[in-house]
Amino acid sequence: ILGGYEARPHLRPYMASLQLDGQHVCGGFLIAEQWVLSAAHCTEGTNGKLFQVLLGAHSLTEPEPHKRLYRVRAQIAHPGSNIHNNRDDLLLLQLEEKAELNAHVKVLPFQREDRDVEADTLCEAAGWGTVTHSGRRPDKLQQVERPVISRELCNHRTRHDQTITEKMMCTDSRKKDTCKGDSGGPLVCNGVAEGVVTAGSRVCGNYKKPAIYTRIAPYAAWIDGVMASAAG
Ligand SMILES: CC(C)CC(=O)Nc1cccc(-c2cccc(CN)c2)c1
């Protein structure tokens, strides 16, 4: 997160850190006791290795009560996702077992009504992604508040030039922005997850390249279907 600040510990008990060999790679969030939603592009370069999912954390390194690393039973990328564009950039992770829910580990509801969030709505993104242009990684969860911008503005020739589909949304990226390692985290508007951070043009903090999110509502049926079909 660029231009943000340290989150109040455990005020976002749905936040997940997707890790490989103890290293934070991407964000994610708990959508059900045994399911985390993240971004498919986070699997880039992992050549099929499964993530481990850290729940209940504020610091990535310090011991904290209720902080726990879960193994992943299955990772399901949306069939339409690919590395060439940001389309269908969703990843479902089934945990090896149901997460133990408590004050520090909670499910975040996602939007099921397929209607655009109004431009200028203030939403929040959080993550352990880089906090400087030079790529410094934080130990503690960061957050930033960003206004939604219209798809029309986001699709302008000087911005993302007609690549933003009706299954994506954008927020202003002037100075304050999501960045590398924040992918997969939720965009929370009025307490509901409306989007999932995607990498877009992989630049951060440049107002000409607004932040892009996969809208969740259009994928509610896919998410429900995967969770139902894998139910133990
Ligand atoms: C395997 C993945 C971690 C590879 C990857 O995502 N790289 C990467 C590099 C630079 C910026 C970003 C990035 C992410 C989220 C939002 C934004 C822009 N708001 C940029 C993402």
Side-chain angles (χ1 to χ4, degrees):
I1 298 276
L2 286 190
Y5 50 94
E6 184 181 333
R8 282 209 18 159
H10 314 296
L11 272 196
R12 298 174 184 284
Y14 47 78
M15 281 304 293
S17 164
L18 270 53
Q19 310 203 337
L20 282 180
D21 308 320
Q23 284 281 358
H24 169 85
V25 172
C26 272
F29 61 107
L30 207 59
I31 59 166
E33 283 182 285
Q34 203 160 350
W35 292 90
V36 167
L37 184 61
S38 183
H41 83 263
C42 291
T43 60
E44 227 170 83
T46 63
N47 46 47
K49 268 197 288 188
L50 292 178
F51 286 111
Q52 288 188 311
V53 174
L54 181 66
L55 295 176
H58 179 60
S59 160
L60 290 176
T61 59
E62 291 161 20
E64 295 168 335
H66 307 300
K67 185 174 167 182
R68 195 172 144 194
L69 199 57
Y70 286 85
R71 271 194 299 282
V72 165
R73 178 179 300 170
Q75 275 173 198
I76 302 113
H78 190 281
S81 63
N82 66 60
I83 55 169
H84 307 292
N85 61 43
N86 302 301
R87 284 203 288 275
D88 302 332
D89 189 17
L90 294 178
L91 180 72
L92 276 166
L93 301 102
Q94 184 184 31
L95 304 177
E96 271 281 14
E97 62 186 289
K98 286 187 176 182
E100 194 184 325
L101 303 184
N102 53 57
H104 293 184
V105 180
K106 278 189 172 33
V107 165
L108 174 67
F110 60 81
Q111 182 60 259
R112 290 176 170 275
E113 205 181 308
D114 189 353
R115 208 150 33 100
D116 280 336
V117 178
E118 225 181 303
D120 298 330
T121 303
L122 284 178
C123 301
E124 296 156 337
W128 288 276
T130 54
V131 292
T132 64
H133 284 283
S134 58
R136 191 155 67 79
R137 288 172 293 170
D139 176 58
K140 297 187 172 67
L141 184 67
Q142 307 290 306
Q143 70 179 60
V144 72
E145 194 177 65
R146 299 314 294 141
V148 171
I149 64 170
S150 71
R151 187 170 297 104
E152 186 195 5
L153 168 57
C154 202
N155 264 327
H156 193 271
R157 182 172 39 82
T158 61
R159 297 335 196 246
H160 289 298
D161 193 8
Q162 305 314 322
T163 61
I164 308 301
T165 69
E166 82 290 350
K167 294 198 271 189
M168 298 172 190
M169 65 186 288
C170 300
T171 60
D172 175 85
S173 52
R174 192 171 163 281
K175 295 193 173 43
K176 302 176 184 182
D177 193 9
T178 48
C179 200
K180 180 169 183 179
D182 292 321
S183 296
L187 181 70
V188 182
C189 313
N190 303 314
V192 176
E194 292 280 354
V196 174
V197 177
T198 188
S201 49
R202 300 200 178 189
V203 297
C204 313
N206 178 339
Y207 80 99
K208 294 267 183 170
K209 294 298 170 199
I212 307 172
Y213 308 80
T214 305
R215 293 182 57 240
I216 303 171
Y219 297 92
W222 174 72
I223 292 169
D224 290 340
V226 169
M227 292 199 293
S229 66

